[in-house]
């Protein structure tokens, strides 16, 4: 399983979110603390963010090399700041291509989306526009085509159709951050300057809380709601 992270709040640099925390995505790429599937996340990384200037279109930087090997990113990341970020490090599922286009975050031109998990794509509604043949890219295209606002409903449907699926999603559009838990961990740190959602805590701040499995987190306008998703286990 990959590890992902979302931020919505006051502008923060990609370095502060991904590289500097003692157990941030950089360390999670080789030594995750809570990963249940896979030992490390060396099959690429990606970061997407929205311009502070106010464009609706996200910027993305994705790569198929391990985050720890990307020295150019380490140099530039302190200078890239945003109020809304989705980033991930990848552990490719067996059989999936290792290429930048298979690496989260995916986009439809407005939303950024990361999938932590695995899904049998034969249960997904047919839709065009997937960035890669990777299961996560096809799932992202399905979510975009249905509408990210209906994320919870689609996850319940897909989870029922593929009981072995793990469907932890993280999505953002610049003013809203959404996440699901379905088969893997997610933690939240809601501070005075914003909210972080992450597959696992990036430090030992006691304010981190764990989101229960099969829940939807919806953050916008300074408010965060956590609601149970339907579907029994
Ligand atoms: N199935 C996705 C991939 O192959 C995500 C894998 C994961 O969460 N580790 O990239």
């Amino acid at each position: 399983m990959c590890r992902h992270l979302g931020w919505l709040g006051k502008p923060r640099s990609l370095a502060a979110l991904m590289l500097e925390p003692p157990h941030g995505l950089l360390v999670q790429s080789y030594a995750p603390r809570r990963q249940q599937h896979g030992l490390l996340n060396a099959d690429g990384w990606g970061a997407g963010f929205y311009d502070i200037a106010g464009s609706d279109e996200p910027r993305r930087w994705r790569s198929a090399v391990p985050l720890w090997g990307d020295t150019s990113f380490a140099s530039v990341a302190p200078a890239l700041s945003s109020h809304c970020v989705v980033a991930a490090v990848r552990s490719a599922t067996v059989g999936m291509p290792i290429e930048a286009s298979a690496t989260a975050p995916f986009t439809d031109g407005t939303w950024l989306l990361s999938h932590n998990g695995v899904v049998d794509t034969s249960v997904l509604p047919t839709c065009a526009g997937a960035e890669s043949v990777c299961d996560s890219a096809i799932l992202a295209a399905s979510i975009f085509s249905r509408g990210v606002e209906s994320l919870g409903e689609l996850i319940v449907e897909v989870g029922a159709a593929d009981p072995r699926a793990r469907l932890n999603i993280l999505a953002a559009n610049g003013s809203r951050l959404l996440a699901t838990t379905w088969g893997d961990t997610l933690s939240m740190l809601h501070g005075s300057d914003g909210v972080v959602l992450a597959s696992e805590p990036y430090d030992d701040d006691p304010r981190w809380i764990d989101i229960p499995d099969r829940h939807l987190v919806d953050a916008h306008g300074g408010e965060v709601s956590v609601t149970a998703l339907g579907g029994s286990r």
Side-chain angles (χ1 to χ4, degrees), residues 2-5 28 34 116 184-187 197-201:
C2 314
R3 306 277 84 185
H4 55 207
L5 170 138
Q28 288 171 34
R34 295 199 181 175
N116 176 348
D184 206 332
T185 55
L186 184 76
S187 299
L197 295 173
S199 302
E200 53 185 82

Side-chain angles (χ1 to χ4, degrees), residues 1-3 35 37 41 90-93 96 102 115-119 134-136:
M1 301 285 262
C2 314
R3 306 277 84 185
Q35 194 150 336
H37 305 271
N41 299 286
R90 180 173 181 227
S91 168
T93 298
M96 298 299 159
H115 169 225
N116 176 348
V118 62
V119 64
C134 176
D135 61 346
S136 301

Side-chain angles (χ1 to χ4, degrees), residues 110-132:
T110 303
W111 286 88
L112 292 167
L113 190 145
S114 171
H115 169 225
N116 176 348
V118 62
V119 64
D120 174 358
T121 53
S122 70
V123 309
L124 299 175
T126 315
C127 64
E131 293 182 49
S132 160

Side-chain angles (χ1 to χ4, degrees), residues 195-212:
V195 58
V196 189
L197 295 173
S199 302
E200 53 185 82
Y202 61 47
D203 61 18
D204 292 327
D205 190 317
R207 294 172 300 162
W208 284 100
I209 59 165
D210 296 335
I211 307 296

